[in-house]
Amino acid sequence: MPELPEVETIKNALQPLVQGKRIQVLELLRPEVIAYPSADRFYELVCGEQIRQVDRRGKFLCILLEHEKRIWLHLRMTGQLSVVEEEKAPKKHTHVIFGLEGGLQLRFSDPRRFGRFWLSESEEEDKYSGVQKLGIEPFEPYLNGMWLKKHMEHRKKSIKACLLDQNIIAGIGNIYGDEILFAANVCPLCRPEELTEAQWERLASAIPQILQQAILEEAVAPEQYMADGGFRYRRSSFFQVYGQEGAPCPRCTEKLVRVVLGGRSSVYCPHCQPQ
């Protein structure tokens, strides 16, 4: 599933390709991907609108239209956005096509069909997408050790689970959760109440640092994004521990260990991240 760095990369690449273009045609090949409102109402509200901006909130993409309408999109496991010339044949699993002025199309494809769209009108309270329940963005200047401790220390789950809680901090997923904890020398199995003041501070510093580094690693020019037919993951070389079970720790060479927390795997170094 794309996490904050991937969604930010998609946003940055899409913005110059679609900003200012009017949606002239809309094809809903699989209407069920429109979660709210109805597919017919979505069509009615979107056709003819100009794209003002592409934004991000947590793992959600936001396409801001005229009259303060907002299209929210969560890519989920396999969702993909591409910008192509209209003559190009659609890929298999293409579900939505926005026909833009100038002969371009913004296409949404999703083999597993988990991705969803929501649309909110001006001043309409968003009760459907879940965006309004998200916690702070990881780059907020007040995100420090004291803030983290205040919002996590009384939770009864592991610190890894707290990092993945979108109601506390928006955008961190399983992958970057592992990388952040490794950078901060914090064991994913620890409970928040066990962390020291120094660990809270290291964790607060590692969150924006790791995410920003990933954004820089993933950066792609709009032209390349269009040529590639969407986002291509290139992040594996950046990982220190995620997916590296059994490999030597890049710091101390001790073997990395995999555990399962809440149904999700976590990889860490028992020496550098003692419980």
Side-chain angles (χ1 to χ4, degrees):
M1 177 186 292
E3 298 182 24
L4 185 151
E6 290 74 47
V7 180
E8 180 72 11
T9 299
I10 294 168
K11 180 209 82 172
N12 291 338
L14 279 181
Q15 171 86 357
L17 294 173
V18 303
Q19 186 177 30
K21 297 191 181 298
R22 197 166 296 279
I23 300 170
Q24 297 179 321
V25 179
L26 177 62
E27 297 181 58
L28 300 177
L29 306 178
R30 281 199 172 272
E32 62 267 27
V33 303
I34 309 300
Y36 179 84
S38 67
D40 288 343
R41 181 63 174 159
F42 186 92
Y43 180 94
E44 178 185 335
L45 292 170
V46 167
C47 272
E49 291 288 299
Q50 185 185 58
I51 297 175
R52 293 288 179 84
Q53 187 176 337
V54 181
D55 210 342
R56 177 197 58 75
R57 179 76 170 95
K59 301 178 190 178
F60 287 80
L61 277 168
C62 177
I63 301 175
L64 178 62
L65 306 177
E66 291 178 294
H67 311 111
E68 299 302 316
K69 297 175 185 175
R70 286 176 168 81
I71 297 174
W72 293 99
L73 166 62
H74 202 300
L75 297 169
R76 301 280 169 82
M77 297 295 294
T78 58
Q80 178 76 275
L81 282 173
S82 59
V83 179
V84 300
E85 301 287 347
E86 61 185 1
E87 297 84 10
K88 190 171 182 179
K91 295 179 184 177
K92 186 180 180 182
H93 307 300
T94 297
H95 304 327
V96 181
I97 299 176
F98 299 86
L100 309 177
E101 58 185 343
L104 292 179
Q105 291 183 345
L106 173 62
R107 298 177 181 174
F108 172 71
S109 60
D110 187 2
R112 298 189 69 178
R113 305 180 193 173
F114 292 153
R116 289 293 181 269
F117 288 82
W118 299 262
L119 186 142
S120 58
E121 297 186 65
S122 175
E123 299 182 3
E124 178 185 10
E125 185 181 357
D126 182 355
K127 300 178 181 178
Y128 305 96
S129 68
V131 170
Q132 75 283 359
K133 297 178 182 178
L134 294 176
I136 68 167
E137 287 288 313
F139 305 112
E140 293 288 358
Y142 56 82
L143 176 57
N144 55 30
M146 186 181 299
W147 189 96
L148 280 180
K149 182 178 180 180
K150 176 182 176 181
H151 289 83
M152 293 183 181
E153 69 174 338
H154 299 301
R155 307 259 171 163
K156 299 304 180 185
K157 48 192 177 182
S158 70
I159 190 63
K160 172 71 180 289
C162 289
L163 275 182
L164 305 191
D165 189 336
Q166 301 301 297
N167 297 325
I168 303 175
I169 304 174
I172 302 172
N174 197 48
I175 294 170
Y176 293 106
D178 276 0
E179 296 299 312
I180 288 166
L181 289 165
F182 178 72
N185 294 109
V186 175
C187 177
L189 297 165
C190 284
R191 294 193 176 276
E193 63 192 28
E194 299 172 325
L195 268 60
T196 65
E197 300 293 335
Q199 286 177 312
W200 283 117
E201 290 298 336
R202 291 201 303 269
L203 195 56
S205 297
I207 289 170
Q209 174 191 338
I210 293 297
L211 295 176
Q212 187 59 50
Q213 186 178 350
I215 290 169
L216 293 174
E217 292 278 339
E218 295 285 4
V220 58
E223 298 78 14
Q224 189 62 48
Y225 183 91
M226 190 169 173
D228 289 343
F231 183 70
R232 293 287 181 268
Y233 293 102
R234 296 189 300 278
R235 60 192 180 187
S236 58
S237 61
F238 162 74
F239 297 150
Q240 297 291 294
V241 292
Y242 177 79
Q244 307 295 320
E245 175 192 2
C249 170
R251 287 202 200 114
C252 71
T253 72
E254 184 162 333
K255 186 179 291 187
L256 297 175
V257 173
R258 175 181 175 271
V259 293
V260 177
L261 292 168
R264 297 185 181 186
S265 66
S266 292
V267 179
Y268 73 103
C269 173
H271 179 262
C272 297
Q273 300 166 264
Q275 187 173 3

